């Protein structure tokens, strides 16, 4: 019920679309798109955009295209394209037949370059990229006009065709729009439309040695695909007049023209979000690849154990706004806990084992005790856990000298072993170094299942595994990747990597888990009682699972 309400919540983008539908604009059709540049893996910010665009298409019974904005051959790779397709699908969205590539429009864009020249609206400029930027002026000082601006249409056509034919060296010429070198909007100061760049493109190979600039490709790609609502982040607001200028001169009468709507990009605490910075973390091996479970990438979140449902819920809760803000990562974790609490089966494992010998329990005896799989969902049933004379508990659940509020195990104190028995500590054994080697307990056979027949209560309940039956597992515990909630802001002009958290990964190799975990596979998610939600990592070996802690059971501000 709550979910339903959330997904139907209104926002300013929906208001605009409602208004367009009311006016029967585009015959009431809604066509959106998600247009990533395949120069890195998608992150949680992209997930917000994906949820908005695909969500609107769904709500208005329209469609949403997935389009690779692949106009920059040097930074783009097939690996990124594949990861994008995989990630959008994993998030639960479907573009049907509508997968497109801006590179499929290269010929059309080139023809539009020629058309602008013929209309006297574009010219070939002989300045170097440095000269072009040096002559752009500043917002308050007009730029200087390029000498190429006065070339004849014929000369421009000839030069542009020869640019395409490969007659000129890289960077020696550009095609520029003839708009206004004094415009207060810098984007309108004769922007570059095409540059010469001999670079192999992952889809068009060596067919082209000139490539359109992003700004000359983006709006027209929307137009070619019949996008009705082109939703993008705020930094493109000042580009909108340029996109409109192109379509004013290139679009055909009566065809759908995209309406651009800008919203605030997602920023989140304790992380960085730009692909360039994420690439830096990968390239310099601060993290173990784009899908490192500490990364804010969709593939990292997936490997960490996030569910698509929790990410969609998060996107819905943060909503869309016009003002930049920074969302607390605790909200994302909250959405995840809420989802996993309902769905994740429970198991027991001990991360830091302390041996416990139950002296009055018969040697060689094993009992199978019933354990509930999920107290939130009876339908998930139960399993059995073997119990025997020697068990492991968490080292931290025992104190030789217990402080007043310590309700777990201590000499002379009684505690409940979940689903098993009450045990009382009778002795502590130490090794030569004074470290506690094992503890001795007595159990009460009349408390089978963890409940006392005489109504005697204990304050503490701890988890355990049978030593002989347990299996070895590795646990990876994570903390935030950065020590500062806003590392980019904290770094200012300096290096944001200064704020990387050196303790963001803790590996525990000696953990013991109940035998039911022997059969888990990479991607499986569950709760380890009292320790957190976990997900099986692809690094797992046969018989030795590697478990990523997805999130702790309560908000601990990222701490292991
Ligand atoms: P980055 O700065 O991280 O490299 P980008 O904007 O260059 O991101 P694109 O591949 O161009 O990445 O983005 C594809 C779509 O995702 C665009 O429509 C963009 O507006 C949107 N997007 C990117 N980052 C965010 C974000 N942090 N929040 C919301 N939407 C985003
Ligand atoms: Mg971009």
């Amino acid at each position: 019920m709550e979910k339903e309400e959330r997904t139907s919540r209104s926002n300013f983008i929906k208001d605009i679309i409602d208004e367009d539908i009311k006016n029967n604009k585009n015959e009431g059709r809604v066509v959106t798109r998600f247009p990533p540049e395949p120069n890195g893996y998608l992150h949680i910010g992209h997930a917000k955009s994906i949820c908005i665009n695909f969500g609107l298409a769904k709500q208005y019974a329209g469609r949403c295209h997935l389009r690779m904005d692949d106009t920059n051959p040097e930074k783009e790779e097939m690996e990124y394209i594949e990861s994008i397709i995989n990630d959008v699908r994993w998030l639960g969205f479907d573009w049907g037949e509508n997968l497109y590539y801006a590179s499929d429009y290269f010929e059309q864009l080139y023809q539009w370059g020629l058309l602008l020249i013929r209309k006297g609206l574009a010219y070939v400029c002989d300045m170097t990229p440095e000269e072009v930027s040096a002559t752009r002026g500043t917002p308050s000082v007009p730029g200087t006009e390029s000498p190429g601006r006065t070339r004849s249409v014929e000369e421009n056509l000839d030069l542009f065709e020869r640019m395409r034919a490969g007659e000129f060296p890289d960077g020696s010429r550009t095609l520029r729009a003839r708009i206004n070198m004094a415009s207060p909007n810098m984007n309108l100061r004769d922007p570059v439309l095409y540059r010469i760049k001999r670079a192999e493109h992952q889809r068009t190979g060596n067919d082209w040695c000139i490539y359109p600039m992003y700004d000359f490709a983006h709006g027209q790609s929307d137009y070619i695909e019949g996008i009705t609502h082109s939703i993008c982040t705020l930094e493109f607001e000042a580009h909108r007049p340029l996109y409109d200028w192109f379509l004013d001169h290139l679009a055909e009468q009566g065809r759908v023209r995209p309406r651009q709507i800008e919203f605030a990009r997602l920023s989140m605490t304790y992380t960085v979000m730009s692909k360039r910075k994420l690439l830096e973390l990968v390239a310099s091996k601060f993290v173990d690849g784009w899908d490192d479970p500490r990364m804010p990438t969709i593939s990292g979140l997936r490997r960490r154990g996030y569910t698509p449902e929790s990410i969609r819920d998060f996107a819905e809760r943060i909503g869309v706004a016009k003002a930049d803000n920074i969302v607390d990562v605790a909200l994302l974790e909250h959405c995840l806990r809420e989802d996993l609490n309902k769905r994740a089966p429970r198991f027991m494992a001990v991360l830091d084992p302390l041996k416990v010998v139950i002296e009055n329990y018969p040697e060689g005896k094993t009992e199978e005790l019933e354990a509930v799989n999920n107290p939130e969902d009876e339908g998930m049933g139960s399993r059995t856990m073997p119990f025997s004379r020697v068990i492991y508990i968490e080292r931290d659940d025992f104190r030789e000298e217990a402080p007043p509020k310590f309700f777990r195990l201590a000499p002379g104190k009684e505690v409940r072993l979940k689903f098993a028995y009450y045990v009382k500590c009778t002795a502590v054994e130490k090794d030569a170094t004074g470290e506690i080697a094992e503890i001795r307990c007595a159990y009460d056979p009349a408390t089978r299942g963890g409940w006392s027949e005489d109504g005697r209560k204990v304050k503490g309940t701890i988890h355990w595994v049978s030593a002989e039956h347990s299996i070895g597992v590795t646990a990876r515990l994570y903390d935030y990747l950065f020590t500062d909630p806003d590392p980019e802001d904290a770094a200012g002009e300096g290096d944001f990597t200064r704020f990387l958290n050196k303790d963001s990964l803790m590996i525990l190799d000696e953990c013991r888990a109940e035998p039911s975990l022997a059969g888990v596979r990479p991607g499986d998610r569950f709760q380890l009682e009292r320790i957190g939600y976990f997900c099986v990592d692809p690094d797992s070996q046969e018989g030795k699972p590697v478990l990523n802690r997805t999130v702790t059971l309560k908000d601990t501000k990222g701490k292991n």
Side-chain angles (χ1 to χ4, degrees), residues 152 244 330 332 342 396 409 412 522:
S152 68
D244 285 338
L332 178 62
K342 285 179 290 185
D396 192 45
L409 203 57

Side-chain angles (χ1 to χ4, degrees), residues 416-432:
R416 172 189 294 113
L417 297 175
K418 189 157 192 181
F419 302 131
Y421 291 100
Y422 287 11
V423 290
K424 186 183 263 179
C425 173
T426 51
V428 182
E429 313 236 322
K430 297 191 175 168
D431 63 18

Side-chain angles (χ1 to χ4, degrees), residues 24-29:
N24 201 33
K25 195 175 167 191
N26 310 315
E27 282 99 41
R29 261 172 303 132

Side-chain angles (χ1 to χ4, degrees), residues 22-23 40 45 60 87 95 118 183 209-211 268 294 398 464 485 547:
K22 212 173 87 199
N23 296 331
Y60 291 96
D87 287 349
W95 49 89
R118 277 190 226 105
S183 171
C209 64
I210 56 171
Y211 288 98
M268 208 167 65
R294 290 165 291 181
F398 178 78
W464 54 275
L547 311 180

Side-chain angles (χ1 to χ4, degrees), residues 37 39 214 236 275:
E37 187 186 342
N39 60 350
Y214 178 84
F236 291 101
K275 278 181 281 187

Side-chain angles (χ1 to χ4, degrees), residues 449-463:
W451 305 102
S452 161
E453 281 167 14
D454 64 12
R456 183 169 93 252
K457 293 222 165 66
V458 286
K459 281 226 166 102
T461 300
I462 63 175
H463 60 278

Side-chain angles (χ1 to χ4, degrees), residues 127-166:
M127 296 198 286
T128 63
E130 294 73 31
E131 287 166 336
V132 170
S133 58
T135 51
R136 279 181 86 215
T138 67
S140 55
V141 178
T144 320
E145 295 191 350
S146 160
R149 218 173 192 268
T150 52
R151 281 198 163 115
S152 68
V153 168
E154 287 66 36
E155 193 185 354
N156 280 319
L157 285 174
D158 176 60
L159 286 172
F160 188 45
E161 278 163 5
R162 287 164 59 197
M163 275 169 65
R164 179 193 180 157

